Amino acid sequence: MRQRIAALRTRLERLLLWRVWERMLEIEFVDRSVALAGKAFVSFFPLVIVVAAFVPERIRSSIITSVTSRLGIRGDALTLARHDVRKATGVLGLLLTIFFATSFTTALQRVYLRTWRRPPRTAGVGAYWRGAVWLLVALVCLALLGGLRGALDGGLGFGLFAIVALVVTAGQWWFTAWFLLQGEVRARVLVPSGVITSIVTAGYAASASIWMPGVVTNNQAQFGFFGVALALVTWFSGAAICVLIGACAGPVLAEDTGRVGRLIRGDESGTLTAGADPPLPAPARELSLRDAFQSTEDS
């Protein structure tokens, strides 16, 4: 019996999916997803709402439309987000929101550094401007997708929008990986990570349109605004897992010694750019599910 189990485990370890799972255990995906979701809720999400209040009505509507469609919230759940909160938020508040929102990009950068086994980066001025650039790109993508959704809504237009949205989102997550890894990983080998993240998050957003409205309604009836906050944290936690799946699949596929890896790497055998520091070593011990809940560094 033990021999059969050992043989089955050996076969599983050869599968790419198993290696993706091991990489997720390596980065402590449960602990990291909770940290990422929390920072998204307290910094990135407020930034989107506050910035939307300072831009023209047309762009504001596009951003809110994109956010609500991804969250799967309809009706009155996000009515507050459509109000003109600019009256309650000054320019100083906007600048402070942008400053604190970079904590989310810092956590996101740690995810990609860990998945690709890159040396850790020290926090500095570079982290803030890099975070600000990524936030700007994210807001532009939200506005673009929101505008396209309104223009292509219904019938064949919705199918076209779904295709365009997948392409735009894949490009956004490809840029995210390349930019936050500071160009040390070849742009070509990061394409699968962007594509997988786009597909997984799109599927998650589609499913959220089914279950999220009920969760928000029930939570709001029981706990008021606090219940809506709990529902949003739940959504962000699932979205963080989707991002981690794409981030972990990228290096696993790129480092594969079979056909998949050769196709992704192309003519070059390595995944790093010239002059980049060598990757950190793989874990010396066998990982277990317990590692997913532990944290070896501050998030």
Side-chain angles (χ1 to χ4, degrees):
M1 187 65 178
R2 292 182 179 179
Q3 292 179 349
R4 291 182 179 180
I5 295 176
L8 178 60
R9 182 180 178 85
T10 301
R11 292 181 181 178
L12 289 174
E13 291 176 350
R14 296 175 183 173
L15 299 177
L16 289 173
L17 286 176
W18 181 270
R19 281 180 258 169
V20 172
W21 170 250
E22 288 184 327
R23 191 64 62 103
M24 293 184 69
L25 293 177
E26 179 182 337
I27 69 168
E28 302 126 7
F29 75 94
V30 173
D31 176 81
R32 202 153 296 274
S33 65
V34 171
L36 194 62
K39 291 187 177 181
F41 176 71
V42 300
S43 58
F44 177 67
F45 183 67
L47 173 70
V48 173
I49 302 303
V50 171
V51 169
F54 280 81
V55 297
E57 175 62 29
R58 196 172 188 180
I59 300 177
R60 179 188 312 145
S61 179
S62 297
I63 292 176
I64 297 301
T65 298
S66 182
V67 170
T68 54
S69 63
R70 287 178 176 271
L71 290 175
I73 299 178
R74 290 175 175 79
D76 297 331
L78 280 185
T79 299
L80 183 61
R82 293 185 177 274
H83 290 172
D84 190 3
V85 296
R86 185 174 183 175
K87 296 179 182 178
T89 307
V91 176
L92 178 59
L94 174 62
L95 294 176
L96 290 175
T97 303
I98 295 175
F99 177 79
F100 286 112
T102 56
S103 66
F104 170 74
T105 59
T106 301
L108 188 60
Q109 183 181 40
R110 288 197 184 109
V111 168
Y112 285 99
L113 291 174
R114 287 290 304 274
T115 55
W116 285 89
R117 295 171 180 163
R118 306 301 303 142
R121 300 291 186 268
T122 56
V125 178
Y128 288 106
W129 79 259
R130 195 172 290 273
V133 170
W134 185 89
L135 291 170
L136 177 61
V137 172
L139 290 172
V140 170
C141 288
L142 285 175
L144 175 62
L145 292 177
L148 287 174
R149 187 181 185 90
L152 301 175
D153 192 17
L156 295 176
F158 180 77
L160 179 60
F161 166 76
I163 296 174
V164 173
L166 281 175
V167 174
V168 172
T169 308
Q172 177 189 353
W173 286 111
W174 166 84
F175 169 80
T176 297
W178 175 82
F179 189 65
L180 296 183
L181 287 168
Q182 301 182 6
E184 294 184 351
V185 179
R186 293 169 52 206
R188 172 178 177 137
V189 303
L190 292 171
V191 172
S193 180
V195 173
I196 293 173
T197 305
S198 176
I199 294 174
V200 176
T201 53
Y204 179 71
S207 70
S209 65
I210 300 174
W211 57 266
M212 189 66 172
V215 173
V216 173
T217 302
N218 294 334
N219 285 10
Q220 189 176 30
Q222 295 182 26
F223 308 108
F225 176 76
F226 181 68
V228 177
L230 288 177
L232 291 175
V233 170
T234 300
W235 187 92
F236 279 117
S237 298
I241 292 291
C242 295
V243 172
L244 291 178
I245 291 174
C248 290
V252 170
L253 295 176
E255 296 167 1
D256 178 52
T257 56
R259 294 180 180 178
V260 175
R262 291 194 297 270
L263 177 63
I264 293 173
R265 293 189 299 271
D267 297 331
E268 300 183 30
S269 59
T271 60
L272 303 180
T273 56
D277 294 332
L280 299 176
R285 62 180 179 83
E286 184 177 343
L287 301 175
S288 64
L289 186 59
R290 181 184 304 175
D291 293 285
F293 297 88
Q294 297 178 351
S295 176
T296 57
E297 61 181 43
D298 293 331
S299 296

